[in-house]
Amino acid sequence: VNPSHLRLGTPADNVADRVARGRSARGERNGRAKLTWMQVDGVRASSRNNSVLARELGVDPKVIRNIRGGKSWKK
């Protein structure tokens, strides 16, 4: 470990630094993600029912609702 790369700070400082540097595991980079950005864009563009889309994509309808509502998969 190179000590010059380390900084003192709180856990909140660490999270803020991670976000500012674009190192958060968001979207496809999240190891538990079941969708891709292409599929998410398709969900947003579709006018089909949440339940139908969820069944086709293998996710819960709440996932589709959160994508469309802007609560998850934010750009």
Side-chain angles (χ1 to χ4, degrees):
V1 175
N2 184 346
S4 67
H5 293 177
L6 302 177
R7 297 188 190 123
L8 285 177
T10 66
D13 294 334
N14 188 30
V15 170
D17 183 58
R18 180 186 71 208
V19 171
R21 293 173 186 250
R23 295 182 180 157
S24 296
R26 295 176 35 153
E28 291 180 62
R29 290 178 48 194
N30 180 336
R32 298 180 68 179
K34 292 185 177 183
L35 301 176
T36 64
W37 281 110
M38 186 177 291
Q39 289 171 314
V40 170
D41 289 339
V43 166
R44 289 185 178 130
S46 177
S47 61
R48 295 171 52 203
N49 183 298
N50 289 353
S51 296
V52 172
L53 282 174
R55 198 173 315 113
E56 289 176 2
L57 296 172
V59 297
D60 191 87
K62 184 185 279 187
V63 172
I64 305 300
R65 194 167 47 249
N66 287 341
I67 290 170
R68 287 180 167 167
K71 292 184 178 180
S72 63
W73 286 85
K74 300 175 186 177
K75 288 199 174 192

